[in-house]
Amino acid sequence: MFFSLEPKADRKNLYDREKELEQLEKFLDHGRIAVVTGVRRIGKTSIVRTFLNDKEKDEVFHILIDCRTFVVSSTAFDKDGFYRALISSIEDLFENKFSKILKSISKVKTPLIEVDIESEPDRRRSVTTILSNVNKMLEKSNRKLIIALDEAQVLRLDGTGGISFLNLLAHIYDFLTNVKVILTGSEVGVLHDLLRLSDVKAPLFGRHVDEVAVQRFSAEDSLNFLVLGSKQAALNPDVEKFRKVVDVLDGLVGYLTLYGFTLLQTGDYDRAFAETLEIAEKMVESELNELFRKSPNYRIVLEAVAHRMDTYSKIRKYFLMNSISINDTTLPKLIKSLVKYSYLEERIENGSKRYVIPDPIVERIMLK
């Protein structure tokens, strides 16, 4: 059903997204690494999960890891735990087919990555070595393995700025032709910073990375999503009420799905909309509180943009109107960070750069 809250894994439950799935298909045929980007709650995970499950029918192996589960704090990432999980996922996936190869690996040293396995403290297994052996078997059977890492931008918190992970990606790119990697990221600029594709000294410099940029639904698609989802659930769709919902929720499928789910629970269009807004605001407020702990000035910038003071000079004026001092060194950094975190987007209109808040609920909160 379109209105189920969990990330979709079956094409029949995924509305549209044919373009994105086609892009991933081309990546699988010709690419090495792909990034799937888009603002929060736009449906990236559903697209990737659906693609992976479709490919399973074609005997393409896959591993999906949510990198957020290894975030220890806003500045720390459990790197060893992540690589243990990666190794464990590979072992579980190939337990029957490749068990002899995996069990034969012991005391392997590599300049890239080594991970202690707690169950075997006297042995070290290398992620790169395990993947190299898996790649050999995949070559013989003419099959592929996709490693999908959700919200991969948090890998930058691993204590090396993500360098150890980039070394692994570069190794996969250069040597493991039957292993593909998909990364998703809601903080689009932060994910790009992690990959450092234009940095001549970075491991991935000079390598091509496919990008699938997920866009919000148009007003027409948003309306159609709600109408079809209602029919799936044997509800009689009220198109006019749906139009009002779409006007506010602005094509972000996560919010539209939440509304549809709440509508199924309540059976009341207006009550469902009110409850959706209440739930969404609480969810987003929690995220914003984490952001504002980094700097309370992020709040002021977002407030300014929400009130349509949306150019650099107007944002600076908003600080002065609120008797808050800000200098011309700090303010550009604040704005740049908010763009990287995907709380702001840059747009050029009439030759002038202005900023918008891509999430309607964030803007709604800032206007209160």
Side-chain angles (χ1 to χ4, degrees):
M1 288 182 63
F2 292 165
F3 292 166
S4 58
L5 291 180
E6 71 279 356
K8 308 303 185 287
D10 192 315
R11 193 180 284 249
K12 70 176 184 241
N13 296 324
L14 185 72
Y15 176 80
D16 194 20
R17 298 308 190 191
E18 295 302 320
K19 176 184 174 183
E20 291 84 354
L21 292 170
E22 184 179 328
Q23 288 177 295
L24 287 173
E25 193 74 49
K26 290 179 180 177
F27 148 74
L28 184 61
D29 289 340
H30 307 293
R32 306 292 297 114
I33 299 171
V35 295
V36 179
T37 59
V39 297
R40 297 161 187 82
R41 289 170 281 276
I42 206 165
K44 299 180 297 298
T45 303
S46 290
I47 292 169
V48 171
R49 286 190 64 190
T50 299
F51 175 73
L52 294 176
N53 285 340
D54 272 358
K55 292 297 99 186
E56 196 172 85
K57 301 168 190 173
D58 299 332
E59 298 190 330
V60 175
F61 298 113
H62 73 263
I63 291 166
L64 175 61
I65 295 176
D66 183 354
C67 297
R68 293 171 299 183
T69 61
F70 303 98
V71 174
V72 178
S73 69
S74 61
T75 58
F77 181 83
D78 181 8
K79 179 172 67 174
D80 286 348
F82 168 75
Y83 288 117
R84 287 191 188 97
L86 181 56
I87 289 174
S88 177
S89 297
I90 296 169
E91 290 180 325
D92 290 344
L93 182 61
F94 298 123
E95 182 177 5
N96 297 323
K97 297 177 178 60
F98 301 148
S99 58
K100 291 182 180 179
I101 289 178
L102 294 174
K103 289 178 181 177
S104 69
I105 300 170
S106 63
K107 295 185 178 179
V108 179
K109 293 186 177 181
T110 167
L112 296 178
I113 298 165
E114 286 186 342
V115 183
D116 288 315
I117 304 300
E118 291 178 349
S119 59
E120 300 180 77
D122 60 327
R123 301 175 64 170
R124 286 179 180 264
R125 293 182 184 176
S126 160
V127 176
T128 52
T129 305
I130 290 176
L131 285 174
S132 294
N133 281 278
V134 165
N135 187 69
K136 290 175 185 176
M137 296 303 296
L138 292 169
E139 286 177 341
K140 291 179 181 179
S141 59
N142 195 29
R143 295 170 76 174
K144 298 172 184 175
L145 166 66
I146 301 174
I147 299 174
L149 304 177
D150 206 12
E151 299 297 348
Q153 71 274 353
V154 299
L155 284 154
R156 76 192 188 282
L157 304 173
D158 70 353
T160 70
I163 289 297
S164 62
F165 173 67
L166 294 183
N167 280 330
L168 174 61
L169 281 186
H171 178 77
I172 291 171
Y173 191 107
D174 292 343
F175 298 105
L176 310 183
T177 55
N178 286 57
V179 178
K180 313 277 186 170
V181 179
I182 297 176
L183 311 174
T184 80
S186 295
E187 296 176 352
V188 180
V190 179
L191 180 57
H192 286 156
D193 281 354
L194 167 69
L195 296 176
R196 295 168 56 187
L197 297 175
S198 59
D199 183 349
V200 68
K201 296 181 180 179
L204 289 180
F205 179 75
R207 294 164 176 83
H208 174 73
V209 173
D210 293 279
E211 180 159 3
V212 178
V214 182
Q215 304 298 326
R216 70 190 64 223
F217 289 154
S218 66
E220 180 182 357
D221 276 330
S222 298
L223 184 61
N224 198 40
F225 171 83
L226 293 176
V227 169
L228 292 179
S230 298
K231 291 179 178 179
Q232 283 180 340
L235 287 177
N236 185 28
D238 187 325
V239 175
E240 289 309 309
K241 288 190 182 294
F242 284 167
R243 290 187 196 280
K244 295 178 182 178
V245 170
V246 169
D247 284 345
V248 175
L249 300 183
D250 193 26
L252 288 184
V253 69
Y255 294 139
L256 295 172
T257 301
L258 177 60
Y259 170 72
F261 177 82
T262 309
L263 178 60
L264 296 186
Q265 303 305 304
T266 63
D268 183 304
Y269 290 91
D270 294 330
R271 178 182 165 192
F273 190 32
E275 289 188 9
T276 297
L277 292 176
E278 182 180 356
I279 294 168
E281 286 181 15
K282 287 180 179 178
M283 184 167 54
V284 173
E285 280 174 351
S286 176
E287 297 170 357
L288 289 173
N289 287 336
E290 288 296 317
L291 175 70
F292 299 154
R293 286 192 186 99
K294 297 177 183 178
S295 170
N297 283 332
Y298 285 142
R299 180 192 296 274
I300 310 304
V301 174
L302 290 176
E303 282 181 6
V305 175
H307 285 92
R308 301 298 183 265
M309 300 191 72
D310 53 6
T311 64
Y312 177 85
S313 60
K314 289 180 180 179
I315 294 170
R316 193 174 188 283
K317 182 178 179 180
Y318 189 83
F319 272 85
L320 298 175
M321 287 168 53
N322 287 275
S323 302
I324 302 171
S325 61
I326 191 78
N327 61 53
D328 286 329
T329 301
T330 303
L331 184 55
K333 291 179 179 177
L334 291 170
I335 296 172
K336 185 177 180 180
S337 293
L338 287 170
V339 171
K340 286 183 178 181
Y341 293 145
S342 297
Y343 284 105
L344 286 181
E345 287 181 356
E346 295 179 350
R347 295 184 185 173
I348 304 298
E349 294 185 4
N350 300 320
S352 177
K353 182 187 292 185
R354 58 182 291 264
Y355 300 94
V356 297
I357 297 174
D359 188 319
I361 302 300
V362 173
E363 183 172 68
R364 185 181 179 89
I365 291 170
M366 290 299 100
L367 289 172
K368 286 189 174 182

